[in-house]
Amino acid sequence: MSESKKVKSKSLSDETKVKHAIDFIEELSWLLDSKRNLKLSDIPSILRQQLSPASSAENVANKYASPNPNIHYLIGVLPRLFQDKELFPKNEDIASFAKDVLGLEMKRVEKRSKYELIGMVVCECNDLDDSKLEDMVSALSVATGSSEKISRFAAERKATGFSWNETIRKLAQ
């Protein structure tokens, strides 16, 4: 190949490279203009947060907004409460609570396991009217907030003339 052809092919390739660079800069500027709300300096920290395992769980939890927070609170707190052997030593105690406090009628209590009853109550909570539960959820959140209150709850349960509703409301004050 002659020297003039080498120079010409080299200059053509340089010219092509310059054209590609111009196109790239032009397209990059369009892209940056279209994303004015995003600061480039924020991108590294956003990406680092996404790598954190805790942040992915937080992101999922933060995106979920319960359509019925009172019922979802009960679904979370009742299993823990029902597993307390001082408060609910027998299946009948769970059935009594479900009837008196939540208005749920439990059948064949003596033939069911404790976990089956807990599961039934939790599933039935999903169908309860939230407006009736607001006071109950407020009271339960206070009454189950500490181990001292749960112990007082258990002591009240053993008293004569015990009422689940009264006891929960009294402990919530």
PDB file of all heavy atoms in Angstrom, residues 146-160:
ATOM      1  N   SER A 146     -46.270  -4.433  76.564  1.00  0.00           N
ATOM      2  CA  SER A 146     -45.186  -4.772  77.487  1.00  0.00           C
ATOM      3  C   SER A 146     -45.496  -6.092  78.183  1.00  0.00           C
ATOM      4  O   SER A 146     -46.666  -6.475  78.328  1.00  0.00           O
ATOM      5  CB  SER A 146     -45.010  -3.670  78.533  1.00  0.00           C
ATOM      6  OG  SER A 146     -46.078  -3.681  79.456  1.00  0.00           O
ATOM      7  N   SER A 147     -44.464  -6.759  78.657  1.00  0.00           N
ATOM      8  CA  SER A 147     -44.660  -8.042  79.337  1.00  0.00           C
ATOM      9  C   SER A 147     -45.366  -7.828  80.678  1.00  0.00           C
ATOM     10  O   SER A 147     -46.120  -8.690  81.129  1.00  0.00           O
ATOM     11  CB  SER A 147     -43.326  -8.753  79.535  1.00  0.00           C
ATOM     12  OG  SER A 147     -42.432  -7.925  80.239  1.00  0.00           O
ATOM     13  N   GLU A 148     -45.173  -6.655  81.292  1.00  0.00           N
ATOM     14  CA  GLU A 148     -45.848  -6.354  82.559  1.00  0.00           C
ATOM     15  C   GLU A 148     -47.361  -6.275  82.343  1.00  0.00           C
ATOM     16  O   GLU A 148     -48.140  -6.821  83.118  1.00  0.00           O
ATOM     17  CB  GLU A 148     -45.311  -5.029  83.124  1.00  0.00           C
ATOM     18  CG  GLU A 148     -45.909  -4.645  84.460  1.00  0.00           C
ATOM     19  CD  GLU A 148     -46.640  -3.316  84.402  1.00  0.00           C
ATOM     20  OE1 GLU A 148     -46.172  -2.417  83.700  1.00  0.00           O
ATOM     21  OE2 GLU A 148     -47.697  -3.223  85.042  1.00  0.00           O
ATOM     22  N   LYS A 149     -47.782  -5.648  81.265  1.00  0.00           N
ATOM     23  CA  LYS A 149     -49.221  -5.547  80.978  1.00  0.00           C
ATOM     24  C   LYS A 149     -49.804  -6.918  80.629  1.00  0.00           C
ATOM     25  O   LYS A 149     -50.931  -7.221  81.000  1.00  0.00           O
ATOM     26  CB  LYS A 149     -49.477  -4.549  79.857  1.00  0.00           C
ATOM     27  CG  LYS A 149     -49.268  -3.127  80.331  1.00  0.00           C
ATOM     28  CD  LYS A 149     -50.141  -2.188  79.600  1.00  0.00           C
ATOM     29  CE  LYS A 149     -49.899  -0.800  80.166  1.00  0.00           C
ATOM     30  NZ  LYS A 149     -50.926   0.126  79.854  1.00  0.00           N
ATOM     31  N   ILE A 150     -49.045  -7.732  79.946  1.00  0.00           N
ATOM     32  CA  ILE A 150     -49.541  -9.070  79.609  1.00  0.00           C
ATOM     33  C   ILE A 150     -49.687  -9.898  80.886  1.00  0.00           C
ATOM     34  O   ILE A 150     -50.651 -10.643  81.039  1.00  0.00           O
ATOM     35  CB  ILE A 150     -48.631  -9.767  78.574  1.00  0.00           C
ATOM     36  CG1 ILE A 150     -48.796  -9.062  77.224  1.00  0.00           C
ATOM     37  CG2 ILE A 150     -48.947 -11.245  78.455  1.00  0.00           C
ATOM     38  CD1 ILE A 150     -47.979  -9.602  76.099  1.00  0.00           C
ATOM     39  N   SER A 151     -48.774  -9.735  81.837  1.00  0.00           N
ATOM     40  CA  SER A 151     -48.893 -10.436  83.128  1.00  0.00           C
ATOM     41  C   SER A 151     -50.136  -9.964  83.876  1.00  0.00           C
ATOM     42  O   SER A 151     -50.851 -10.775  84.477  1.00  0.00           O
ATOM     43  CB  SER A 151     -47.657 -10.208  83.985  1.00  0.00           C
ATOM     44  OG  SER A 151     -46.528 -10.743  83.366  1.00  0.00           O
ATOM     45  N   ARG A 152     -50.398  -8.658  83.855  1.00  0.00           N
ATOM     46  CA  ARG A 152     -51.600  -8.125  84.494  1.00  0.00           C
ATOM     47  C   ARG A 152     -52.852  -8.648  83.788  1.00  0.00           C
ATOM     48  O   ARG A 152     -53.869  -8.936  84.421  1.00  0.00           O
ATOM     49  CB  ARG A 152     -51.590  -6.594  84.487  1.00  0.00           C
ATOM     50  CG  ARG A 152     -50.645  -6.031  85.525  1.00  0.00           C
ATOM     51  CD  ARG A 152     -50.617  -4.526  85.611  1.00  0.00           C
ATOM     52  NE  ARG A 152     -51.890  -3.857  85.432  1.00  0.00           N
ATOM     53  CZ  ARG A 152     -52.005  -2.643  84.898  1.00  0.00           C
ATOM     54  NH1 ARG A 152     -50.933  -1.978  84.514  1.00  0.00           N
ATOM     55  NH2 ARG A 152     -53.179  -2.078  84.770  1.00  0.00           N
ATOM     56  N   PHE A 153     -52.758  -8.767  82.486  1.00  0.00           N
ATOM     57  CA  PHE A 153     -53.837  -9.310  81.663  1.00  0.00           C
ATOM     58  C   PHE A 153     -54.149 -10.738  82.130  1.00  0.00           C
ATOM     59  O   PHE A 153     -55.316 -11.102  82.331  1.00  0.00           O
ATOM     60  CB  PHE A 153     -53.371  -9.283  80.212  1.00  0.00           C
ATOM     61  CG  PHE A 153     -54.429  -9.334  79.158  1.00  0.00           C
ATOM     62  CD1 PHE A 153     -55.763  -9.106  79.418  1.00  0.00           C
ATOM     63  CD2 PHE A 153     -54.072  -9.601  77.843  1.00  0.00           C
ATOM     64  CE1 PHE A 153     -56.725  -9.137  78.418  1.00  0.00           C
ATOM     65  CE2 PHE A 153     -55.014  -9.640  76.838  1.00  0.00           C
ATOM     66  CZ  PHE A 153     -56.344  -9.411  77.132  1.00  0.00           C
ATOM     67  N   ALA A 154     -53.106 -11.555  82.322  1.00  0.00           N
ATOM     68  CA  ALA A 154     -53.272 -12.938  82.765  1.00  0.00           C
ATOM     69  C   ALA A 154     -53.875 -12.990  84.160  1.00  0.00           C
ATOM     70  O   ALA A 154     -54.747 -13.837  84.440  1.00  0.00           O
ATOM     71  CB  ALA A 154     -51.939 -13.667  82.721  1.00  0.00           C
ATOM     72  N   ALA A 155     -53.460 -12.112  85.051  1.00  0.00           N
ATOM     73  CA  ALA A 155     -53.998 -12.080  86.415  1.00  0.00           C
ATOM     74  C   ALA A 155     -55.479 -11.695  86.390  1.00  0.00           C
ATOM     75  O   ALA A 155     -56.296 -12.282  87.115  1.00  0.00           O
ATOM     76  CB  ALA A 155     -53.205 -11.099  87.269  1.00  0.00           C
ATOM     77  N   GLU A 156     -55.837 -10.733  85.580  1.00  0.00           N
ATOM     78  CA  GLU A 156     -57.237 -10.312  85.454  1.00  0.00           C
ATOM     79  C   GLU A 156     -58.101 -11.456  84.926  1.00  0.00           C
ATOM     80  O   GLU A 156     -59.249 -11.609  85.330  1.00  0.00           O
ATOM     81  CB  GLU A 156     -57.359  -9.110  84.511  1.00  0.00           C
ATOM     82  CG  GLU A 156     -56.857  -7.818  85.078  1.00  0.00           C
ATOM     83  CD  GLU A 156     -57.828  -7.194  86.070  1.00  0.00           C
ATOM     84  OE1 GLU A 156     -59.050  -7.416  85.962  1.00  0.00           O
ATOM     85  OE2 GLU A 156     -57.343  -6.495  86.963  1.00  0.00           O
ATOM     86  N   ARG A 157     -57.544 -12.251  84.034  1.00  0.00           N
ATOM     87  CA  ARG A 157     -58.303 -13.344  83.427  1.00  0.00           C
ATOM     88  C   ARG A 157     -58.759 -14.350  84.479  1.00  0.00           C
ATOM     89  O   ARG A 157     -59.819 -14.962  84.359  1.00  0.00           O
ATOM     90  CB  ARG A 157     -57.455 -14.055  82.365  1.00  0.00           C
ATOM     91  CG  ARG A 157     -58.264 -15.020  81.509  1.00  0.00           C
ATOM     92  CD  ARG A 157     -57.395 -15.842  80.602  1.00  0.00           C
ATOM     93  NE  ARG A 157     -56.630 -16.864  81.278  1.00  0.00           N
ATOM     94  CZ  ARG A 157     -57.135 -17.966  81.822  1.00  0.00           C
ATOM     95  NH1 ARG A 157     -58.414 -18.208  81.803  1.00  0.00           N
ATOM     96  NH2 ARG A 157     -56.355 -18.858  82.403  1.00  0.00           N
ATOM     97  N   LYS A 158     -57.982 -14.517  85.535  1.00  0.00           N
ATOM     98  CA  LYS A 158     -58.308 -15.496  86.583  1.00  0.00           C
ATOM     99  C   LYS A 158     -59.338 -14.963  87.583  1.00  0.00           C
ATOM    100  O   LYS A 158     -59.849 -15.712  88.389  1.00  0.00           O
ATOM    101  CB  LYS A 158     -57.028 -15.894  87.319  1.00  0.00           C
ATOM    102  CG  LYS A 158     -56.055 -16.642  86.422  1.00  0.00           C
ATOM    103  CD  LYS A 158     -54.744 -16.900  87.099  1.00  0.00           C
ATOM    104  CE  LYS A 158     -53.774 -17.543  86.121  1.00  0.00           C
ATOM    105  NZ  LYS A 158     -52.427 -17.592  86.624  1.00  0.00           N
ATOM    106  N   ALA A 159     -59.658 -13.681  87.518  1.00  0.00           N
ATOM    107  CA  ALA A 159     -60.598 -13.078  88.469  1.00  0.00           C
ATOM    108  C   ALA A 159     -62.037 -13.494  88.166  1.00  0.00           C
ATOM    109  O   ALA A 159     -62.385 -13.814  87.029  1.00  0.00           O
ATOM    110  CB  ALA A 159     -60.481 -11.562  88.422  1.00  0.00           C
ATOM    111  N   THR A 160     -62.858 -13.453  89.196  1.00  0.00           N
ATOM    112  CA  THR A 160     -64.280 -13.767  89.051  1.00  0.00           C
ATOM    113  C   THR A 160     -64.957 -12.652  88.266  1.00  0.00           C
ATOM    114  O   THR A 160     -64.652 -11.486  88.438  1.00  0.00           O
ATOM    115  CB  THR A 160     -64.935 -13.903  90.436  1.00  0.00           C
ATOM    116  OG1 THR A 160     -64.176 -14.808  91.230  1.00  0.00           O
ATOM    117  CG2 THR A 160     -66.361 -14.394  90.325  1.00  0.00           C
TER     118      THR A 160
END
